[in-house]
DNA sequence: CATGGGATTGACT
DNA sequence: GTCAATCCCATGC
């Protein structure tokens, strides 16, 4: 069962943190969310900061909507619209740990890669553009519903991962906000990793 | 209508 | 470390 509107209709920082450990699913392909970022109309890094435009209206729409936009002319980035309708806010899904359909994900990712057959599991969904490519998420999913649409986000199983907080990636404004959330220790988080997520070097590896 | 700038990635020096 | 690819849309004339 997908997360309901009441899950998304809350403070975007709470949603971003609690989405860590949840599962994104599309066409039978699924991965656990290990990295998110929060965006809110009150700060200039958020697309909704510009107000309601044809591009941003979905951000001000019903919580639980999907905001998918093209980045750098190439990549589709997936966001979950949050907060009550009328407030422009969303959580950017930045990385997944692949769970189901891993070989299908690898095939989709290697289509665009020059080096084939070399992609590790950690290379499949460790970035916002990578995960949409791996799961087949495209611009046509913009303004669809995460509650009952082709894209679904479900609660995770077991206890949720420990979460590490850091600053957001790849933005020029409001860079100081600690609005990035990562599953502690996960090798599927994108780079650069915040402190506390860096892979540990065992002592016997040093010499 | 023309222009400019990205919530990135992969390849290369 | 640097750099180009490439499309949508916000902005300004």
């Amino acid at each position: 069962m997908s997360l309901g509107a009441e899950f998304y209709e809350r403070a975007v920082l709470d949603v971003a943190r609690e989405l860590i450990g949840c599962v994104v699913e599309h066409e039978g392909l699924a991965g656990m969310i290990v990295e998110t970022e929060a965006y809110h109309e009150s700060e200039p890094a958020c697309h909704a900061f510009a107000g309601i435009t044809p591009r941003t209206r979905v951000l001000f729409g019903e919580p639980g909507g999907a905001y998918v936009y093209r980045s750098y002319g190439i990549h589709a980035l997936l966001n979950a619209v949050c907060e009550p309708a009328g407030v422009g806010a969303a959580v950017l899904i930045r990385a997944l740990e692949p769970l189901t359909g891993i070989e299908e994900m690898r095939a989709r990712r290697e289509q665009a890669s020059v080096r084939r057959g070399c992609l590790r599991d950690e290379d499949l969904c460790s970035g916002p553009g990578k995960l949409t490519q791996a799961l087949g998420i495209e611009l046509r999913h913009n303004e669809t519903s995460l509650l009952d649409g082709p894209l679904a986000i479900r609660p995770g199983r077991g206890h949720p991962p420990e979460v590490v907080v850091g600053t957001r990636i790849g933005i020029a404004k409001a860079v100081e906000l600690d609005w990035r959330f990562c599953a502690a220790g996960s090798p599927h988080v994108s780079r650069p990793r915040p402190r506390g997520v860096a892979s540990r070097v065992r002592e016997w590896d040093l010499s």
Side-chain angles (χ1 to χ4, degrees):
Chain A
M1 203 55 193
S2 293
L3 295 165
E6 70 283 352
F7 178 86
Y8 298 101
E9 194 174 17
R10 297 180 298 145
V12 68
L13 286 174
D14 291 335
V15 179
R17 175 184 290 272
E18 293 175 31
L19 276 175
I20 301 297
C22 296
V23 174
V24 178
E25 189 176 326
H26 179 241
E27 292 178 345
L29 307 173
M32 182 177 74
I33 299 172
V34 294
E35 181 181 353
T36 62
E37 285 177 0
Y39 288 88
H40 188 271
E41 63 179 34
S42 62
E43 45 87 15
C46 182
H47 293 168
F49 186 74
I52 301 180
T53 69
R55 180 198 201 188
T56 65
R57 82 183 157 167
V58 59
L59 290 169
F60 294 87
E62 293 301 316
Y67 170 46
V68 184
Y69 75 98
R70 187 165 302 291
S71 174
Y72 292 95
I74 302 174
H75 310 285
L77 269 54
L78 170 65
N79 299 253
V81 174
C82 296
E83 309 240 357
V87 179
V91 173
L92 170 67
I93 312 298
R94 282 194 58 91
L96 307 176
E97 175 182 333
L99 295 176
T100 306
I102 293 180
E103 288 316 311
E104 174 66 20
M105 294 184 197
R106 201 185 318 276
R108 293 182 190 222
R109 291 272 295 122
E110 287 181 351
Q111 265 189 332
S113 177
V114 173
R115 301 173 69 96
R116 309 202 168 193
C118 303
L119 290 182
R120 302 162 299 160
D121 289 2
E122 308 89 78
D123 299 321
L124 300 180
C125 299
S126 54
K130 297 178 185 178
L131 72 91
T132 54
Q133 186 183 26
L135 268 64
I137 298 169
E138 302 168 6
L139 292 195
R140 61 190 173 85
H141 294 105
N142 189 39
E143 298 191 82
T144 61
S145 174
L146 298 171
L147 311 180
D148 58 4
L151 286 172
I153 303 183
R154 313 186 193 288
R157 302 175 191 230
H159 75 278
E162 182 184 340
V163 174
V164 178
V165 178
T167 56
R168 297 177 294 184
I169 303 298
I171 56 173
K173 301 163 188 166
V175 294
E176 72 284 357
L177 299 177
D178 282 332
W179 285 12
R180 181 191 187 201
F181 302 90
C182 298
S186 172
H188 302 277
V189 166
S190 70
R191 296 177 184 252
R193 296 181 181 157
R195 289 180 63 84
V197 195
S199 58
R200 286 185 200 139
V201 178
R202 294 167 205 254
E203 292 186 23
W204 40 263
D205 282 339
L206 302 170
S207 60

